[in-house]
Amino acid sequence: MAHIVIRGLDKYFGSTRVLQDVSLEIAEKEFVTLLGPSGCGKTTTLRLLAGFLEPDGGEIRVGGEVLSAPGATVPPERRRMGMVFQSYAVWPHMTVAENVAFGLRLARLDRREIDTRVARVLAAVGLDGMEGRHPGQLSGGQQQRVALARSLVVEPSILLLDEPLSNLDAKLRERMRVELKALQRRTGITFVYVTHDQAEAMALSDRIAVFHAGRVQQYGPPREIYERPANLFVADFMGLVNKLPARRVGPGRYQLAGGEELTTVVNDGDAGLAEAVIAIRPEAIRLAPLDDGEACNRLPGRIAEATFLGNLIDCQVEAAGSLLRVQAERRMLLEPGQPVDLEIPVRECVAMRPEAS
Ligand code: ATP
């Protein structure tokens, strides 16, 4: 049973509190990503999970058993967890097969069993046929697969991965993403993955925990985190967002700087805020009226800039006393100065607590 329960985790380095009251539940076979900017505490959380660090408060349970608590931490080798790092750390003097077999040799499995398992896992990561090569004869992506295979071959119930794709070029990273996800589904291993790349997190995860300053800001499925961020930090971190200061004039109704009003949705904790920021994703704003019956806000605007980006046109539009970022369909012909109508569905306008300055 690899159901992970992290409750109230605190960690200090010296007098600096790097994790504050971190709580997360991770279901068996789930792919969970710890996401956040550099220094937010995601690697520390992973190292606590692995047993390399001991918490100063709170606990980690796996399958009901306490593995980490102050003064009572089970060592890494007794956790049935595998770990994959950013630096592949494969042994250069050993062949691919020897690298992968190493953990099984240590565990003194018999030779036939080792050979079978090594062959199976190399096929799973797409390295069959390369058993006899040395790491120096492999690309970065292939070396990272050796590292993955080495962790998978010992059949961990949980695999912890710390930015495993960040040394690969953009194209290979995308391909490895698809392969990692497929591998996770096929093996049924619980993956806990650390990255600062929001696109990677969205592509891979069943759920994402967004970290900032040692705290979990939001924990949920990618779509929920992107479309209904809990606060402005999450809204900003997950992608481009327009942030319009506004004043409340009624339930869910807010007046913008230019005097226009918007109907919005409001997060539970933010209902009734007198001053709010309305967060709107650029691609949620339509430039031409669409008569599909969805409840929409309408704002008149004028194109300030339109940049063709291939799959879309990235626009700056003057409207409501602000400059709005809008992503328009690539087939539209848009010129600076052109008047346009903006249509914004109500459920895409999220009224939020302004950030403390
Ligand atoms: P990155 O993406 O840069 O690895 P992160 O979110 O994984 O960032 P952590 O490595 O968890 O961040 O670090 C959280 C904070 O704790 C940082 O401010 C870091 O400087 C500090 N820290 C990490 N390890 C130690 C340590 N061994 N001693 C002192 N401070 C540490």
Side-chain angles (χ1 to χ4, degrees):
M1 275 279 290
H3 178 214
I4 304 170
V5 180
I6 299 174
R7 196 167 294 142
L9 220 51
D10 278 326
K11 182 69 193 167
Y12 289 82
F13 287 120
S15 58
T16 315
R17 194 177 186 185
V18 295
L19 287 183
Q20 292 191 42
D21 196 20
V22 167
S23 295
L24 293 171
E25 284 205 25
I26 301 171
E28 212 174 340
K29 301 184 183 178
E30 200 172 16
F31 196 128
V32 164
T33 296
L34 315 182
L35 173 70
S38 183
C40 66
K42 47 197 195 300
T43 297
T44 302
T45 306
L46 203 72
R47 295 179 67 210
L48 282 157
L49 261 171
F52 294 131
L53 293 174
E54 185 163 276
D56 295 306
E59 62 174 27
I60 299 172
R61 288 172 184 264
V62 175
E65 184 192 350
V66 178
L67 294 189
S68 296
T73 289
V74 175
E77 64 276 11
R78 292 200 4 235
R79 293 192 172 213
R80 289 203 62 216
M81 295 183 191
M83 192 137 184
V84 181
F85 301 93
Q86 178 179 343
S87 57
Y88 330 123
V90 290
W91 289 290
H93 59 286
M94 291 186 191
T95 64
V96 167
E98 286 164 354
N99 261 285
V100 176
F102 189 77
L104 303 180
R105 294 235 165 87
L106 276 187
R108 300 190 175 281
L109 263 61
D110 79 58
R111 185 153 193 120
R112 278 236 313 277
E113 169 79 5
I114 293 179
D115 289 347
T116 315
R117 275 166 70 168
V118 168
R120 197 168 56 216
V121 80
L122 284 177
V125 299
L127 282 180
D128 31 350
M130 303 206 180
E131 296 80 356
R133 290 207 200 171
H134 282 83
Q137 302 167 299
L138 299 176
S139 71
Q142 289 164 338
Q143 289 186 45
Q144 189 53 295
R145 283 183 226 192
V146 175
L148 253 177
R150 203 176 49 187
S151 306
L152 289 171
V153 81
V154 295
E155 299 177 354
S157 51
I158 297 168
L159 192 59
L160 309 175
L161 304 102
D162 194 356
E163 310 234 12
L165 306 185
S166 59
N167 281 340
L168 308 180
D169 67 56
K171 268 222 169 109
L172 185 57
R173 219 154 72 192
E174 224 162 276
R175 222 184 60 220
M176 285 292 286
R177 255 186 223 168
V178 178
E179 289 182 13
L180 260 187
K181 184 72 200 154
L183 193 72
Q184 190 261 342
R185 283 218 187 93
R186 225 171 29 240
T187 56
I189 296 174
T190 305
F191 273 38
V192 186
Y193 191 94
V194 161
T195 183
H196 59 267
D197 180 332
Q198 43 87 15
E200 193 164 291
M202 284 197 278
L204 285 170
S205 319
D206 297 313
R207 284 193 288 177
I208 299 172
V210 184
F211 277 69
H212 177 47
R215 286 178 180 273
V216 176
Q217 305 291 313
Q218 189 171 2
Y219 184 38
R223 181 179 286 273
E224 186 180 300
I225 302 251
Y226 185 80
E227 292 183 349
R228 202 66 191 271
N231 56 40
L232 284 173
F233 174 82
V234 178
D236 253 330
F237 195 76
M238 296 310 290
L240 288 173
V241 66
N242 293 290
K243 293 181 282 187
L244 305 177
R247 227 168 30 85
R248 186 174 189 269
V249 289
R253 286 288 288 176
Y254 282 88
Q255 188 176 49
L256 305 177
E260 294 86 345
E261 290 182 12
L262 291 182
T263 305
T264 68
V265 292
V266 185
N267 287 330
D268 287 347
D270 291 347
L273 287 175
E275 305 281 334
V277 169
I278 316 295
I280 308 174
R281 297 276 179 214
E283 74 282 2
I285 306 176
R286 296 180 203 133
L287 284 180
L290 281 179
D291 198 15
D292 61 2
E294 184 170 27
C296 274
N297 294 291
R298 286 203 163 68
L299 293 176
R302 187 176 293 276
I303 301 281
E305 258 184 67
T307 310
F308 182 73
L309 291 183
N311 58 338
L312 53 86
I313 304 172
D314 191 29
C315 303
Q316 309 265 6
V317 180
E318 292 161 7
S322 295
L323 202 56
L324 295 189
R325 190 84 175 259
V326 180
Q327 289 170 353
E329 240 189 89
R330 75 185 147 80
R331 276 174 300 187
M332 292 191 83
L333 293 171
L334 298 167
E335 295 294 337
Q338 186 178 331
V340 285
D341 270 334
L342 304 182
E343 274 204 347
I344 321 173
V346 167
R347 65 184 172 82
E348 297 281 0
C349 300
V350 188
M352 292 187 191
R353 184 180 304 277
E355 248 156 356
S357 50

